[in-house]
């Protein structure tokens, strides 16, 4: 034994024996991205009870990371759906790069989603920039985007410095400097606030992008050489199914409850 081994435990070899044990599969189900988000975020919030977070304070920050991840996944899903559906988005995104690894692994299945694998949506500017670059749409800069930026700054400190408040994040959040080490604390109330912000962002973005796609369907798509009037209803159905929340419908949370056909007819009336 030598002095070089005097500061920590001796270790052997550690390895992942079977990577397949870290992966699970689910049957592919046609589900709106907003409902995928609801399911993931609500599972996280159900775990984060006051009793659990009091007993396990280190888990609050990790649950926040999960909420932001679910929000990021919504943006990847809905952006991919729009590119699949919208010929204007297809044309605008055609000059964007996609990694060869994504193409090789995805093949024709979900290739559009692969375009966003290298992008972080735990950053408001990236969300806005990606919407512009891939969808040719300028996302409205709402108050909730500014609030989500705060959540992302908290997430950054959790992921990259074990919940220690970093200077850059502290300045952006307006936290005053201190002679003591500051930690990001996510208890029940804080987790619920962040969950509400993520939920509001996803729901408001879902509405905004649905309106834009409905307008394109009614006004812009019919002017394209590729337009087939016989596919008009089917295309609106695809838009509807990409944005319509079955969960919100079941809880009667949708302000104006319309069927697919009634909504389509109202869009056609507004944009004849």
């Amino acid at each position: 034994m030598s002095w070089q081994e005097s500061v920590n435990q001796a270790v052997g070899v550690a390895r992942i024996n079977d990577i397949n044990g870290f992966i699970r599969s689910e049957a592919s189900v046609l589900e709106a991205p907003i409902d995928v988000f609801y399911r993931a975020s609500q599972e996280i919030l159900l775990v984060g009870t006051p009793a659990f977070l009091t007993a396990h304070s280190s888990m609050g920050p990790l649950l926040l990371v999960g909420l932001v991840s679910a929000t990021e996944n919504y943006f990847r899903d809905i952006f991919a759906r729009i590119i699949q559906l919208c010929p204007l988005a297809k044309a605008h995104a055609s000059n964007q790069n996609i990694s060869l690894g994504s193409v090789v692994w995805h093949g024709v299945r979900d290739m559009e989603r692969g375009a966003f694998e290298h992008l972080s949506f735990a950053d408001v500017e990236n969300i806005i920039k990606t919407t512009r670059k891939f969808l040719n749409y300028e996302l409205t800069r709402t108050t909730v985007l500014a609030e989500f930026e705060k959540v992302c700054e908290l997430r950054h400190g959790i992921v990259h410095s074990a919940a220690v408040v970093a200077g850059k994040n502290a300045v952006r959040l307006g936290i005053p400097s201190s002679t003591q080490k500051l930690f990001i604390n996510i208890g029940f109330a804080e987790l619920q606030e962040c969950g509400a912000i993520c939920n509001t962002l996803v729901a408001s973005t879902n509405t905004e992008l649905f309106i834009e796609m409905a307008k394109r369907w009614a006004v812009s798509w019919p002017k394209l050489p590729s337009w087939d009037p016989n596919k008009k209803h089917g295309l609106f159905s695809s838009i509807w199914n990409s944005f319509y929340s079955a969960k919100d419908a079941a809880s009667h949370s949708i302000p104006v409850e319309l069927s697919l056909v009634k909504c389509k007819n109202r869009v056609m009336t507004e944009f004849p």
Side-chain angles (χ1 to χ4, degrees), residues 190-204:
E190 292 77 19
L191 187 66
Q192 291 294 317
E193 282 184 12
C194 292
I197 290 166
C198 293
N199 188 85
T200 301
L201 175 62
V202 168
S204 60

Side-chain angles (χ1 to χ4, degrees), residues 2-78:
S2 83
W3 65 266
Q4 287 97 335
E5 299 173 282
S6 63
V7 293
N8 57 260
Q9 64 177 292
V11 294
V13 176
R15 62 166 62 91
I16 290 176
N17 292 312
D18 180 9
I19 194 64
N20 292 312
F22 292 78
I23 308 299
R24 65 181 175 84
S25 62
E26 292 183 359
S28 180
V29 178
L30 183 62
E31 189 175 14
I34 190 171
D35 282 341
V36 175
F37 164 79
Y38 283 152
R39 178 160 42 84
S41 61
Q42 287 172 3
E43 285 179 4
I44 291 167
L45 292 171
L46 283 172
V47 170
T49 63
F52 178 79
L53 293 174
T54 299
H56 308 282
S57 59
S58 64
M59 295 305 297
L62 299 182
L63 293 177
L64 173 60
V65 172
L67 282 176
V68 175
S69 179
T71 307
E72 288 191 85
N73 188 61
Y74 165 79
F75 283 103
R76 289 191 175 91
D77 275 350
I78 200 64

Side-chain angles (χ1 to χ4, degrees), residues 206-220:
N206 200 69
T207 299
E208 183 175 350
L209 292 178
F210 169 68
I211 293 169
E212 175 63 16
M213 288 304 109
K215 285 180 182 178
R216 291 185 184 188
W217 169 83
V219 178
S220 304

Side-chain angles (χ1 to χ4, degrees), residues 240 244 249 254-264 266-267:
W240 176 268
Y244 183 75
I254 300 176
V256 181
E257 296 185 351
L258 296 175
S259 66
L260 184 159
V261 172
K262 286 183 178 179
C263 182
K264 183 189 74 171
R266 290 200 185 184
V267 172

